Amino acid sequence: MPLSPTRRTAATALGLAAALALTACGNPDDGGTAETAALPGATAKTKMDTSPDRARITTGTVGSLAAEVPARIRERGTLEIADSATSSAPLTFYATDNKTVIGVEPDLAHLVADVLGLKAHLNPVSWENVFVGLDSAKYDVGFSNITVTEERKEKYDFASYREDNLAFEAKKGSGLKVTGPKDVAGRTVAVSSGTNQEKLLVGWSRADEKAGREPVRIKYYQNPSDTYLALRSGRIDLALGPSPTAAYHAATAGESEIAGTYSGAGATLQGLIAATTKKDSGLVKPLADALNHVIENGTYARVLRRWGLSDEAVTKSEINPPGLPRTNK
């Protein structure tokens, strides 16, 4: 099974490879910086500032877009943002003070709030509570590396803002290469529960069984640190997760390597990450319009460049674009 969806161009495929070409230059937990290579083999690198006093990239309010925000949110004056506390660099993580939330997700959420004339209020919660909070209207929007899926569209509206690419991470020197279901047959693979990664892996396991191969032995861990410990100790063969976090960990820890990559929407569709709001909340259009504004004014590109994720940029925010199908290979 080919790993590159038919929609991906050669340039985008190269960009994905570039996203995986992270090069560590200092320990973020120690020196407060890390660097990412812009292209495989390139000398130019993007320095990441992981200190708590880093200045956010900001932009101005657009009155016409702020007026689109539902009255209840405008009157409150804050955008209540759900973000997964269990994510990791460079998506969402804690700065070197271990309390300040930083990363590409909160940076983009702040930009959107700026455009809409609202104060961004981050709520770091567990992955499952992102959706519980959206369901109960405790939170207005999720900026938490959430993949658009056809199943999720039943309950949520989406405004896309980044490509969704996944990666298999293996212990350094393992020699493992993943190009399709047969390569994970009988392997022990860690994945986070309730994610599109889990759905893809379960589908691959079923495909292996149907072909007469051993199923995948799927393991679940509560925290990324537990997954990395299991990978390092050999309790698991592979970990499947977001490409940016896998690449960042492989580069900065120096104990793992990328064994394969895959689109978050399966073999025939480029996956997309999106701002997620409760269905028919009235917020999805303002979110998409705000995202398109920051794409146009260049602040969006500055944020992605800051975190070494320029290769996952989109040219337009779409409302409820095609997502991971219900039945997927």
Side-chain angles (χ1 to χ4, degrees):
M1 176 183 300
L3 289 186
S4 297
T6 54
R7 281 183 54 188
R8 292 188 71 88
T9 64
T12 307
L14 176 61
L16 176 56
L20 298 177
L22 285 160
T23 304
C25 185
N27 185 342
D29 294 327
D30 182 23
T33 63
E35 291 184 348
T36 65
L39 288 171
T43 56
K45 296 177 181 179
T46 299
K47 180 176 287 188
M48 291 185 189
D49 180 359
T50 59
S51 62
D53 56 352
R54 53 188 292 285
R56 290 195 189 276
I57 294 168
T58 61
T59 193
T61 298
V62 179
S64 59
L65 301 187
E68 295 179 355
V69 176
R72 68 185 185 283
I73 300 176
R74 286 203 315 272
E75 292 166 4
R76 186 206 305 145
T78 62
L79 186 64
E80 293 297 327
I81 301 156
D83 198 358
S84 177
T86 56
S87 294
S88 53
L91 300 177
T92 301
F93 62 113
Y94 289 102
T96 50
D97 64 353
N98 290 320
K99 62 181 181 181
T100 303
V101 178
I102 61 174
V104 68
E105 300 291 287
D107 274 6
L108 289 175
H110 273 80
L111 272 186
V112 166
D114 285 348
V115 174
L116 299 179
L118 300 168
K119 181 178 179 180
H121 183 213
L122 291 176
N123 297 273
V125 295
S126 61
W127 170 255
E128 64 275 9
N129 280 322
V130 169
F131 299 97
V132 171
L134 290 175
D135 292 345
S136 65
K138 182 177 182 179
Y139 310 126
D140 302 315
V141 59
F143 274 85
S144 191
N145 201 58
I146 301 171
T147 302
V148 180
T149 75
E150 293 304 310
E151 184 176 357
R152 287 174 181 163
K153 282 183 186 178
E154 291 184 357
K155 296 178 66 176
Y156 309 103
D157 285 322
F158 296 94
S160 60
Y161 61 83
R162 193 163 51 78
E163 288 188 355
D164 176 32
N165 298 306
L166 310 179
F168 286 90
E169 194 173 357
K171 188 175 181 179
K172 195 168 186 176
S174 70
L176 293 176
K177 298 296 179 186
V178 179
T179 60
K182 61 181 175 55
D183 299 313
V184 293
R187 297 284 184 187
T188 303
V189 184
V191 72
S192 294
S193 177
T195 61
N196 67 309
Q197 299 99 279
E198 179 192 27
K199 183 175 180 180
L200 284 164
L201 191 59
V202 168
W204 278 22
S205 184
R206 288 172 180 162
D208 281 327
E209 288 189 276
K210 188 175 181 180
R213 297 185 290 260
E214 288 186 62
V216 182
R217 294 190 292 272
I218 300 175
K219 295 289 185 181
Y220 300 94
Y221 295 94
Q222 188 170 358
N223 300 306
S225 58
D226 297 330
T227 300
Y228 298 143
L229 177 60
L231 191 64
R232 186 168 61 247
S233 65
R235 294 201 304 274
I236 60 174
D237 300 306
L238 296 156
L240 175 60
S243 173
T245 60
Y248 188 97
H249 175 255
T252 56
E255 59 191 24
S256 61
E257 59 193 13
I258 303 302
T261 59
Y262 202 76
S263 164
T268 60
L269 184 68
Q270 173 58 54
L272 292 171
I273 299 297
T276 306
T277 185
K278 189 175 182 179
K279 197 160 193 67
D280 299 324
S281 69
L283 190 58
V284 71
K285 186 177 185 299
L287 290 170
D289 288 346
L291 284 163
N292 281 318
H293 178 76
V294 298
I295 288 172
E296 291 168 5
N297 74 12
T299 52
Y300 166 82
R302 288 174 59 197
V303 166
L304 264 62
R305 186 165 59 248
R306 161 180 271 186
W307 297 109
L309 295 178
S310 297
D311 306 283
E312 295 194 345
V314 295
T315 58
K316 180 182 179 181
S317 176
E318 300 176 79
I319 294 176
N320 294 327
L324 176 67
R326 293 176 180 277
T327 301
N328 196 312
K329 294 183 179 180

